[in-house]
Amino acid sequence: MSRGRAGPIRCGTRQVAMESREWATLSPQEFAQLQQYLDYSSRKVQDVLQELYGGGALSQHRQGECLDFEGFTLFLRSYLEADDVPEPLCRHLFASFQSGAGGPTGNDLVCVNDVSCYFSLLEGGRPEDKLEFTFKLYDKDGNGLLDSSEVDRIITQMMRVAQYLDWDVTELKPILQEMMREIDYDGSGTVSLAEWLRGGVTNIPLLVLLAWRG
């Protein structure tokens, strides 16, 4: 990841404006529309991240660890392999990523990791691969550990997907939170990749969520 002299723009907590709250989630119709695009796309999140961080066409639109609306729209259209993604859907998705507790400071940016985590959960593939990918997304320093705030951000994206699938998230959230407490086997306050994988593949609701597109 390239870093300017002032350091990368990082994603932190912020107060959400009333307008963003109103756009906090997609409608069922919009989520169905997004699924249709996903069904026809052959790309993976990793493919777009290579463009974003590997000096590809999208790299000029990255601001540290964040994207503005134009960059997000290009990310989405590249990922979905579609130039006709409606602007209202792009704007609504963009606003939904701004409304989370881990959203970036400021009103005009979204966090690349949150966007990537969310879409990776919607892809087909093995639950174990999805768990490993989401872990490495947030392991920024590459030390093989996540702290509680980073784990919470992954849970947030899992909850968003579950909500769109019409799950009872009031029951799912405490299950996931309890799992996260239990997988810190050594009580260190951090979670290793091995602990993350071991806990994830033994949690039935989470496995079902991760395998919904199989």
Side-chain angles (χ1 to χ4, degrees):
M1 180 188 306
S2 61
R3 296 175 183 266
R5 292 182 180 179
I9 300 173
R10 295 192 177 276
C11 304
T13 58
R14 66 179 180 86
Q15 292 294 323
V16 181
M18 182 62 70
E19 182 179 356
S20 292
R21 289 196 188 101
E22 294 173 355
W23 283 47
T25 59
L26 298 180
S27 69
Q29 294 78 12
E30 288 171 323
F31 185 68
Q33 185 179 30
L34 178 61
Q35 285 182 273
Q36 289 177 344
Y37 279 107
L38 287 167
D39 287 341
Y40 285 98
S41 176
S42 62
R43 305 206 77 191
K44 299 291 186 182
V45 169
Q46 294 99 316
D47 301 327
V48 189
L49 290 179
Q50 288 179 359
E51 297 179 17
L52 199 61
Y53 290 104
L58 292 178
S59 59
Q60 61 183 314
H61 297 282
R62 179 170 56 84
Q63 301 184 37
E65 298 173 10
C66 301
L67 289 171
D68 59 14
F69 177 69
E70 182 181 1
F72 173 79
T73 300
L74 292 172
F75 180 104
L76 187 62
R77 290 175 176 170
S78 175
Y79 176 58
L80 298 178
E81 295 183 298
D83 292 328
D84 62 343
V85 182
E87 183 172 338
L89 179 60
C90 293
R91 288 196 177 278
H92 205 163
L93 265 171
F94 184 80
S96 73
F97 285 110
Q98 290 180 299
S99 66
T105 302
N107 294 328
D108 58 351
L109 298 171
V110 294
C111 182
V112 172
N113 286 345
D114 293 342
V115 173
S116 301
C117 180
Y118 171 77
F119 283 117
S120 72
L121 295 172
L122 294 178
E123 294 178 352
R126 299 191 315 147
E128 296 91 337
D129 294 336
K130 293 185 182 183
L131 286 166
E132 182 173 359
F133 179 74
T134 56
F135 184 97
K136 291 181 177 179
L137 271 178
Y138 290 96
D139 180 19
K140 301 306 295 182
D141 55 8
N143 68 349
L145 297 171
L146 296 183
D147 62 29
S148 59
S149 66
E150 292 165 330
V151 170
D152 284 344
R153 289 173 67 181
I154 297 177
I155 290 179
T156 295
Q157 301 310 318
M158 290 178 174
M159 293 289 293
R160 293 184 69 213
V161 172
Q163 185 175 16
Y164 292 138
L165 295 177
D166 204 25
W167 286 29
D168 185 350
V169 293
T170 60
E171 293 185 3
L172 179 63
K173 186 173 184 177
I175 292 174
L176 291 179
Q177 290 176 328
E178 179 61 26
M179 183 198 80
M180 296 307 169
R181 285 190 291 269
E182 291 177 352
I183 64 178
D184 182 15
Y185 294 103
D186 57 8
S188 63
T190 58
V191 176
S192 69
L193 177 58
E195 289 173 330
W196 175 254
L197 292 174
R198 186 162 64 244
V201 298
T202 57
N203 184 285
I204 300 303
L206 180 55
L207 276 178
V208 173
L209 177 65
L210 293 172
W212 79 279
R213 289 179 68 89

